[in-house]
Amino acid sequence: MALNSNTPSGPLSEKWDNHKFNLKLVNPANKRKYDVIIVGTGLAGASAAASLAELGYNVKTFCFQDSPRRAHSIAAQGGVNAAKNYRNDGDSVHRLFYDTIKGGDYRAREANVYRLAQVSVNIIDQCVAQGVPFAREYGGLLDNRSFGGAQVSRTFYAKGQTGQQLLLGAYSAMNRQIGAGKIQSYTRHEMLDLVVVDGKARGIIARDMVTGKIERHAAHAVVLCTGGYGNVFYLTTYARGSNATAIWRAHKKGAYFGNPCFTQIHPTCIPVSGDHQSKLTLMSESLRNDGRIWVPMKKGDNRRPEDIPENERDYYLERIYPSFGNLVPRDIASRKAKEMCDEGRGVGASGLAVYLDFSEAINRLGQKAVEARYGNLFDMYKQITGEDPYKTPMRIYPAVHYTMGGLWVDYNLMTTVPGLYACGEANFSDHGANRLGASALMQGLADGYFVLPYTIGDYLAGEERKPITTDHPEFEAAEKNVKGMIEKLLSVKGTKTSHDFQRELGLIMWNHCGMARNEKGLIEGIEKIKALRQDFWSNIMVPGSGEELNQNLEKASRVADLIELGELMMHDALHRRESCGGHFREEYQTPEGEALRDDDNFAYVAAWEFMGVDSPAKLHKEELNYETVKRSQRSYK
Amino acid sequence: MGSVTRFLDSSIGRKVLMSLTGLFLCTFLIVHASGNLQLFKNDMGLAFNQYSVFMTTFTPIKIVSYLLYATILLHVISGVRLALANKAARPVSYGASKMPGSSSWASSNMMVLGFIILIFLVTHMANFWYKYKFGDVEWVKYEVSVMDGSVIGKTTMPSAPHMQPHEYVVNDGVSAPIKYVIVKDLYSVVQLAFQEVWIVALYLLGMLAIAYHLVHGFQSSFQTLGLRHPAIAGIIRNLGIWVFGIIIPIAFASMPVYFFFFA
Amino acid sequence: MSGNMNLTLKVWRQKNTSASGTFETYQASGISPDMSFLEMMDVVNEDLIKQGKDPIAFDHDCREGICGMCSMYINGRAHGPLKGVTTCQLHMRTFKDGDTITIEPWRSSAFPVLKDLVVDRSAFDRIQQAGGFVSVNTGSVQDANSIPVPKENADEAFLSAACIGCGACVAACKNSSAMLFVSAKVSQYALLPQGQVERAKRVVNMVEQMDQEGFGNCTNTEACEAECPKQISVSNIARMNREYIKAKLFS
C-alpha cells in the first residue's frame, strides 16, 4: 500500500482552512447514529471524547485507571505552548511552527506542524473558558514563561502542574458529557485487541480488570489515545501503568508504526539511587529557566558542590551554546550531560549526574520568588532525595520521557487501518525526531479538541448509519485470540516475573538503543531481545487466574508487547543511518559531536508494517517534502 | 417550605441545623450563667429565688424556654441522626487509626460529649426544674428592709395548696418599713443538693463536657455556616475558647464547688 | 540491591468486594531506606509470587505524587505518617528497622474494596459528572485574555484545583466525609469568572450527588486537611457550605 499522507495542497498557511472546507460533514441529526470508541483518556482522549460527544456522536471511552482523570498527562509539569504573542516578543504561528520543525530536526510533516501552531491559540482560549487556573499577572492577564528550544516566552503554565490542570479541564468537559449520557465511560478496562471487519476498524476487545470478563465493543470508528511506549526502557518518567498494548495490537492488525526509534530523553530527571528503583521522576524543564547546569572542571572532583569555586566549574551548556545556553533543546542537553559523565566529570555517588544550580537565581530573585516559581518541584526533589535544593544544587540526569514515534497517521490522524485513528503521543505525527518542551500538551489537546472532531466526520459521513454489532466472526476471532493469550500467559508457570522481564528488557534497550546508538550495539541488542522473547514465553510466571483482579496478568501481557515493540525500535534505529534529534547514531556526527543528518537519504518517515512476530517488519516510506522551511544544520550556538 | 425541608435533609442542611441550634443554646448558656451568679449573693438566696420565679412565670421567658426545650431536642435528635449516618459511612473500621495531631480530641468526640451533657441535663432538670415545678419545695418568707434592701430574716412557711409567690410591704410608721417576700426556696434545694459528692462530681463532669463540646462546637458552627474569613477567624476561635470553653463552664462549676466546700 | 531494614507488615487481604477480609502478616527484608513505600511493596510482592502466593493488589500509577491513584492507610494514617506526601512519595527512610507497619485500604461504604488495598472511588467521578464543570463547548469561546482574573483569585482557585482526587480526605475523616474533595472543586469554579453562570446549580447538584453516594458528614475535625497530600484547605468546605446555603435558600 502506498503511503498517502493526504496532506492538502495549497500554501502552508491555508492548508488547514481549505481542508476543513473540503471535509465531508455529518448532518447534526445523523451524528447520534454513529458510535465512536476512544481508548485512553489523557489529554488527547478526554478532549476528543468531550468534543465528539458535544457534536452529538455516541462515545465510549476506555481507560485502565480507576478514573479518566489519572491518565499520565497529569504528570506534565512545565506548561503548554501557544503562539498567542501576548508578550509582544515576536512570536507568531509561523515562529512556533518553525521552532517546532527545527526542534524536531526536520523529521516532521510540515503541514501537520503548521496546523498545530495554528490551533495552539484556540487551546488556551478553550482551557481558560473551562476554568483552568493558569498563572496570571497582577493585571489579571495570563502569564508566560520560556522553554527550551525557543527564544520567546510562549508557554502558559499553572505552577508546576500544568498537565494536571489541563487534564482536569478536559476531564471536566468529559464529565459533563457523561452526565448528559453522551459518553459511556469504562474505567479499569484495558483494550486487548482491535477488531477489523472488512478492512475497517469496527471495535475492540477489552478486559474488565476487576472481574476479568472479556468484553466486545463495537463502533463505527476507533480512536487510540493511549500515549507513548517509553516503558520499553523500564526506568522512565512514565507512569507504571503506561503501556503500548493498544497501539501494538493495532499495529499487529495492520496499523503501520511510524519512526519507532524516535524517543526523547529528558535532561532534567532525578538520578537513579539504586536497583530497587521503579521509576524516575522528572523535574520540569522550566527549571532550566533559572537553574544553571554545571560539572566540575576536573575529573573525579568529589568535593561538595558548595566547596567548588566558581572558576573550577564548567557551565558547559552556556560555554558551548552561548545564545541558547541552558535552554538548548532536550536532546542536546541530555546528550551533553551524558558526555560530561562519560568524560568522568559526573557528580554524585554514581557519577551519573550533573548539577542544576539555583544559587545564582536565589541571589538574584530571592528565595521567595524562586519558591513561588518552583516550590512544588523543590519539595518533590527533597522528598525523593532527602536533599534541600535551596541549599545545595540539584543533581540531575537524563531519563526516557516521551516517544515521538507512534502509529503512523495521515493528515486526518487516521492510521493505515481505515476508521482507526491515533491522537496525542500515541501517533508519530508532529514532533519529528525531537519534541520541544511544552509541546506534548499542545499536541494532545490540538488533536483532541480541534483536529479529530473535524477529520473523523469526513470518514463517518461515508459510513452506513446502522449500528455496528458485535456478532461478526471477526469479533469472535479477536476474543478467542485474547483469551488464548491470557491462557497462555497463565499456563507457562515459569520462574521469572513480568517485573524481571521488564527490567531485563529495559536494560537491553537503554544499553543498545538509548541516548547513543551504533550499528554493532543494535545488532547485538536485536539478538538479545529475540532471546528475551523466547525466554519470556517459556519462563514467565503469572500468579492467580484470569477471572479476577490480577495486576500481574495485566503486566505480563503488557511486557509481552513491549518486548516485541523493542525489537522493532532496534530495527528502525539500525536502518536509520543518520543522527537526528533524539536518535543519535555515533557513526554520524559532526566534528563538534552534534547530530549529523542525512537529508538526501533519510528525509522520510519510516512506517513499519507488521509481518508476523518472527518476520522482519516491512518498511514503507513517507517522503517529507519541505515546501516552506529550508532544512539546515540545527544550531543553538 | 418544600425547599427548606429538602435543604434540611441534605448533609449540609443537617449540619446547618446543628450549628444554628447549637449557637442558640450557647446564647442561653450566657443568660443562664449570669442569672445563676445570684447564688453567690449574700442574701440568704432571695435574689436567686426571685430570679427563679421570674424565669418560670414571665410569659416571654416561658415561650423562650419552650423554644429552648425544642431546640435541645432538635439538636439531640439531629446529632444522633448524623452520628448514625456517619457510622454507616464506615461499616468496617480501621485496624489501626490515628487522628492527626492537628485535630482536637473534642472534634472527634462530639457525640460522646453531647451524651454526657444530655445525662447531666436530665439530672439537672430532675434535681431542680422538676422539683421546683412539681416537687414539694418549701415556701419561705423573706424579711427585707425597704430602706437598704438588706435581708433581715428568712422563715419557713407552711405550704398550702394553690400558693403563689407574692410580696407585700408592712409600714407601721414606727419601725422601718419591711418588705415580705414569699417564694419557693429553690436556693436551699440547691444548697442541699450540692452537699452530695456524686452530684457535685456529675456537675463538674458535665461542665468539663460542655467546655470541650463548645470549644469545638462554637467555632465549628461558624465553619458550617460558611462564616470563615481570616479577619474573624481569630475572634471566633478566642470567643469559643475563652467564653464557652473557660469562663462559662468555670462560672457554672464554681456553684457546686462553692456550696460543697463553703456553705 | 539489598538494604538493611527488616520490617513486619500487617496487610489487609480481601479477595473481592463480597468477601470478608482479614489481616495477614508478612516479613519485608533487605529494604533500602531510599526505596519508596511502593517499591518496598514491589519487593514483598515479588517474593510472594516466587513463593507461589497471591501478591498484594494495590493501586498505583504515576509514582510521582500527582495521579492520585495510590491509596494506602499506613499505620493509621492516610498515605502514611508524613504531611503533604502521597504513599508513592513516602520513602522508607521514614521508618525504622524492625518496625511493624499496618497497611489497610481506604475504608468507606462509598469506596467498596475491590481487592486487598484496591478500592472503587468512582463515587468521586459521579460527583464531578453531576456538576464539576463549566458548560462550554469546544470552540465556542472568546480570547483567553478577554476576561482578566485577579491574580489572588486565580492563585486561590489553583490551590483548590490542585486536588488529586485520591480520597485520602474520605479515608482520614472519622465520618468518611467527602466534603473536602467536593468543596475543592466547588471553590475552584466559584472563584473564577468562568464558573459564575452555573455557580448555584453546580453546588446543589454536586452536594446532592455526594449525599447519594453514602459519604458521612463533616464534623470539622479537619483531619482531611491534615492528611491531604496536596494540603487542600478546609476553608474550601466553609465556602461550599456558604455557596450551598446561598443557592438553596437565597436564590
Side-chain angles (χ1 to χ4, degrees), chain B residues 183-257:
Chain B
V183 288
K184 271 186 175 179
D185 190 11
L186 188 62
Y187 181 83
S188 296
V189 175
V190 169
Q191 207 173 13
L192 202 68
F194 288 159
Q195 303 303 314
E196 296 269 5
V197 175
W198 72 269
I199 290 190
V200 174
L202 180 68
Y203 269 64
L204 292 183
L205 182 69
M207 287 312 117
L208 200 66
I210 281 188
Y212 274 105
H213 197 78
L214 294 194
V215 162
H216 175 69
F218 184 73
Q219 62 170 335
S220 172
S221 38
F222 287 88
Q223 163 84 358
T224 298
L225 295 173
L227 303 173
R228 185 191 176 101
H229 192 273
I232 56 163
I235 301 175
I236 290 172
R237 218 174 78 88
N238 283 322
L239 263 181
I241 293 174
W242 286 100
V243 176
F244 294 100
I246 298 177
I247 298 177
I248 288 190
I250 286 187
F252 277 121
S254 62
M255 297 163 196
V257 170

Side-chain angles (χ1 to χ4, degrees), chain A residues 477-488:
Chain A
E479 184 179 318
K480 216 176 132 203
N481 175 36
V482 164
K483 285 182 169 162
M485 178 165 175
I486 290 172
E487 264 163 46
K488 200 169 154 197

Side-chain angles (χ1 to χ4, degrees), chain C residues 203-234:
Chain C
V203 66
V204 169
N205 289 345
M206 289 181 79
V207 169
E208 268 167 19
Q209 186 64 39
M210 171 181 80
D211 289 352
Q212 276 171 33
E213 296 290 347
F215 292 104
N217 295 278
C218 175
T219 41
N220 302 326
T221 65
E222 306 188 359
C224 52
E225 178 185 289
E227 299 292 20
C228 172
K230 297 297 152 185
Q231 302 186 296
I232 306 287
S233 162
V234 291

Side-chain angles (χ1 to χ4, degrees), chain C residues 26-88:
Chain C
Y26 303 98
Q27 298 302 322
S29 42
I31 301 299
S32 152
D34 285 332
M35 285 182 187
S36 73
F37 198 86
L38 298 185
E39 285 163 355
M40 183 275 292
M41 294 295 289
D42 291 341
V43 171
V44 172
N45 270 347
E46 287 296 296
D47 276 358
L48 286 175
I49 299 173
K50 284 175 181 165
Q51 290 167 34
K53 292 181 185 157
D54 192 25
I56 303 157
F58 61 90
D59 266 333
H60 65 101
D61 199 25
C62 79
R63 297 206 174 192
E64 49 185 284
I66 194 73
C67 76
M69 189 107 177
C70 63
S71 63
M72 295 176 192
Y73 206 75
I74 301 164
N75 277 350
R77 306 283 297 272
H79 291 299
L82 296 188
K83 207 173 161 67
V85 169
T86 54
T87 297
C88 65

